[in-house]
Each structure stands twice: as C-alpha cells, then as structure tokens.
Amino acid sequence: MQLTEPVLVFDIGGTKVAAAVLEPDFSLHQRREIATQAAEGPAQVVERVAALGHAVMSAYAEGGKTIRLAGVASAGQIDREGGVVRYATFHLPGWSGFPLGQRLASALGLTVFVDNDVNCHALAEAVLGAGRPYRHFLLAAVGTGVGGGIVIDGKLYRGRLGAAGEIGQVLVEPQGGRPCSDHLSGCLEVYAATSVMLQQSGYASLQALAQAYGDGEVIPAVDEAARWLGWGLASIAHVLAPEAILIGGSAAVLGERYLAAVKAAFVARTLPSHQDISLLFTQLGADSGLIGAGLVASEGRARK
C-alpha cells in the first residue's frame, strides 16, 4: 500500500490527540499533541482538533505545500463509510452516533476518512511494522483501555459496523467482576489497562511506574494486569489462531519484563498447539495510529 500525496493525519484517543502531516515516504512532519479533554463532549473536542489541524497545515504550508486529504484514527466503533462513531465507551462520553468525519471535513475544508484507532495501528504494523512477516495477527493495544485490531490473510478485518476487535470487552470475570462499559462488568480492560495499573499501584505517572518496574521493583498491580492480559489473549487465540499477537499502546514502555509475564500467563492458558504463537511488541510506537490514519485515507480515496 502506498501514499500518492501528503495527508493530514490525526490520532484521537481517550487521553490525547496527535496530529501531523504524513508524506508519501511515510515520514511525519509538524507533529503536535493536545489533551483530548473528552469530558467536554465531542463537539468541543472536534473544535480543538480542527484548530490543531489548521495549525499543523499552516506550519506545513510554509514550505509551499498543500493538503487536500485527511485521515483520522479514532477510539470507538467507527462506520468508516460515513465516518460516524457508532459506539464509544466511557473513555469518550457522548461520542456514540457523532458524525466525526463530516464535522471535521467541514471544519478543515478537506476530504476526511475515519477508522477505529486500533484498526489504524494494525494496518500500519501490517504495512511497515512488526506485522509484516505474518498473514494473520492480532494487535492488542493496552493503554487507557484495551483495544484490538485483527489482520486475516493480510487484510484488516473490521466486521459489522466496523466493530471487530473489541477485545477489551472480552469477559474474564463472570461473577462479581469490576464495572466496565455501560451495563457490562468483568471485562478484560478493567483488569489489564495501564490506567488500572496506575490506580492500583499509586504511581503518579506511567513513566514513573515503568522506571521502577524496569529497575526490578516488585509491583503487584503490573504483575496482575499482565496475567489478566495473557489469560484474555489465550481465549482469543483459541478463536482466531493467529500467527502472532502484537502488544502495543502505552503498556509497551513496561518493556521485556512485562512482555515475559504476559507470555507466561498466555502459555499457561492455551492448548499446546497455540503455545508457540509469537507474542511481541509493535515496532512503530506512538506514531502507528497516525501512519495508519494516512493509509486509511489513501485506501478511502482509492474507493471513491
């Protein structure tokens, strides 16, 4: 998959929004970030996202270059044909039913294509990152929540309403589980997310937590979250039988010790035929959503 023109790209998550221009050689220019402030609601967030986009485009235009196309990686279940957020969890309150693509296209004066953020991560890793050797893989994005992207036969699988890959809602504790999205409880993300690690460990930031964990400190909250993730991924592996599972999101800062703990829990709960499934970190880091958003925009342009 190739880019034929520069694309204004956004990655909208529950905690922060990143924006940049992705050029055809997949380099990012004028990258900037703001806090999402999701509690303000989608209309206010989109106003600030559009302002961020205009700032990026203005800085980029100083080199005499213009932008005609935008791609957006957004949390939530996304109907990519219309750019509508079909459903969003508590991380983006009020976003369900919001016409994100239309609002941003109007505010930016560009053609805009939108897809789920973890789908974008998976697409980027499939084209440029750790997913390249594999025809079938699952990407588990572990951060404020837990999301998934599924690649089957080298193609992104989106499912009905673009809702495939919601691995954070996989049931792991059926009796008396922690509250999750809407009426659900006992979901994987309320046991495995980095936000849960922080709440239970008492560290002020994930960076501080990762530093201590990397230095060998025993942190039960991380060990427990890694076990839950490994157990949840084991159940999913029995359904998908992927060649590899890529771990991305902010949890990657926890390093190899964390990955080893996830692997140990995964192997303990899988059939022997699945125990050699590769578990590894993604390669593109925080930029994967932006790169994937550009690929989604290029894909969308080709469909029109």
Side-chain angles (χ1 to χ4, degrees), residues 55-171:
V56 169
M57 284 194 293
S58 295
Y60 186 74
E62 292 176 1
K65 301 177 182 179
T66 58
I67 300 290
R68 299 181 300 166
L69 183 65
V72 182
S74 174
Q77 296 176 356
I78 308 295
D79 177 0
R80 66 181 179 129
E81 296 302 325
V84 176
V85 182
R86 290 299 182 188
Y87 178 77
T89 67
F90 59 91
H91 298 300
L92 288 176
W95 283 69
S96 297
F98 186 73
L100 178 58
Q102 178 186 353
R103 292 291 185 89
L104 275 177
S106 177
L108 293 169
L110 302 174
T111 301
V112 175
F113 294 94
V114 187
D115 206 340
N116 169 265
D117 55 351
V118 189
N119 281 347
C120 290
H121 295 320
L123 185 58
E125 292 290 336
V127 173
L128 295 172
R132 284 179 295 174
Y134 305 106
R135 294 288 295 167
H136 318 290
F137 71 84
L138 169 70
L139 189 151
V142 183
T144 306
V146 175
I150 302 169
V151 171
I152 299 175
D153 284 331
K155 297 180 180 179
L156 193 61
Y157 176 71
R158 293 179 172 91
R160 178 179 176 272
L161 300 178
E166 293 284 356
I167 66 171
Q169 274 59 59
V170 167
L171 180 66

Side-chain angles (χ1 to χ4, degrees), residues 4-304:
T4 58
E5 62 183 297
V7 183
L8 178 66
V9 289
F10 298 93
D11 188 354
I12 303 174
T15 302
K16 64 180 177 63
V17 178
V21 174
L22 182 69
E23 291 204 330
D25 64 357
F26 295 108
S27 61
L28 290 165
H29 299 264
Q30 302 297 333
R31 191 186 194 283
R32 305 181 185 198
E33 288 187 5
I34 59 172
T36 307
Q37 298 180 17
E40 295 180 354
Q44 289 74 20
V45 172
V46 165
E47 282 186 12
R48 298 191 308 106
V49 170
L52 177 66
H54 280 296
V56 169
M57 284 194 293
S58 295
Y60 186 74
E62 292 176 1
K65 301 177 182 179
T66 58
I67 300 290
R68 299 181 300 166
L69 183 65
V72 182
S74 174
Q77 296 176 356
I78 308 295
D79 177 0
R80 66 181 179 129
E81 296 302 325
V84 176
V85 182
R86 290 299 182 188
Y87 178 77
T89 67
F90 59 91
H91 298 300
L92 288 176
W95 283 69
S96 297
F98 186 73
L100 178 58
Q102 178 186 353
R103 292 291 185 89
L104 275 177
S106 177
L108 293 169
L110 302 174
T111 301
V112 175
F113 294 94
V114 187
D115 206 340
N116 169 265
D117 55 351
V118 189
N119 281 347
C120 290
H121 295 320
L123 185 58
E125 292 290 336
V127 173
L128 295 172
R132 284 179 295 174
Y134 305 106
R135 294 288 295 167
H136 318 290
F137 71 84
L138 169 70
L139 189 151
V142 183
T144 306
V146 175
I150 302 169
V151 171
I152 299 175
D153 284 331
K155 297 180 180 179
L156 193 61
Y157 176 71
R158 293 179 172 91
R160 178 179 176 272
L161 300 178
E166 293 284 356
I167 66 171
Q169 274 59 59
V170 167
L171 180 66
V172 295
E173 185 64 86
Q175 300 295 329
R178 299 171 188 168
C180 186
S181 303
D182 292 342
H183 65 286
L184 301 180
S185 62
C187 302
L188 178 60
E189 74 174 5
V190 294
Y191 294 87
T194 56
S195 55
V196 176
M197 299 180 206
L198 286 173
Q199 290 168 6
Q200 296 194 343
S201 68
Y203 282 87
S205 69
L206 183 59
Q207 289 71 29
L209 173 62
Q211 180 66 53
Y213 189 72
D215 289 342
E217 185 170 331
V218 176
I219 304 178
V222 177
D223 295 334
E224 180 185 7
R227 281 195 300 273
W228 282 113
L229 181 63
W231 294 340
L233 292 176
S235 293
I236 297 164
H238 288 126
V239 177
L240 295 179
E243 295 172 298
I245 297 175
L246 313 184
I247 309 295
S250 57
V253 301
L254 294 167
E256 292 298 325
R257 180 183 172 195
Y258 167 76
L259 184 62
V262 175
K263 284 183 177 180
F266 175 83
V267 169
R269 295 295 178 98
T270 52
L271 292 171
S273 56
H274 290 327
Q275 290 176 1
D276 61 348
I277 290 173
S278 298
L279 269 73
L280 63 158
F281 283 128
T282 55
Q283 291 180 348
L284 301 178
D287 290 336
S288 62
L290 294 172
I291 295 169
L295 292 169
V296 162
S298 179
E299 182 184 72
R301 175 77 90 189
R303 293 199 316 269
K304 297 297 184 179

